[in-house]
Amino acid sequence: MRQNELLMEKVYESVASVLPITVIVLVLSISIAPLTPGTWTLFFFGALMLILGMGFFTLGVEMSMIPMGEGIGVLMSRVKHLPIPLTVCFVLGMVVTIAEPDLQVLA
């Protein structure tokens, strides 16, 4: 039962993230660029699927990757030599940047 509550919390967070842009698109589609009913239907279906997908994704991150990251952080904090955690952080940063080049834009 706890997973259902967590999923509903994550879906609510997703709604809070997606709803503002959905409202903006709705206002623009009414005022500036009218859309056909079929396009509206597809847009709202896509927004609904985005909300559900983001909810499942963030629930999965919270259940799997965050505990793993916390465990690695605890192990790295116990290391007495500073170059070892620095090297691990540098290598992880390089791997993440190579795997997701969009992060280079943020750098």
Side-chain angles (χ1 to χ4, degrees), residues 11-81:
V11 167
Y12 178 73
E13 291 173 6
S14 300
V15 167
S17 298
V18 173
L19 191 61
I21 192 70
T22 305
V23 170
I24 290 170
V25 169
L26 178 65
V27 168
L28 289 175
S29 70
I30 291 173
S31 62
I32 295 175
L35 297 176
T36 63
T39 306
W40 274 36
T41 304
L42 291 174
F43 174 74
F44 285 121
F45 181 72
L48 177 67
M49 297 306 289
L50 177 65
I51 290 168
L52 290 175
M54 285 176 58
F56 279 116
F57 177 76
T58 54
L59 178 64
V61 165
E62 186 174 302
M63 291 177 68
S64 62
M65 290 191 281
I66 289 177
M68 181 176 59
E70 289 173 351
I72 291 171
V74 167
L75 289 175
M76 284 181 47
S77 67
R78 292 183 185 158
V79 175
K80 301 295 183 195
H81 303 288

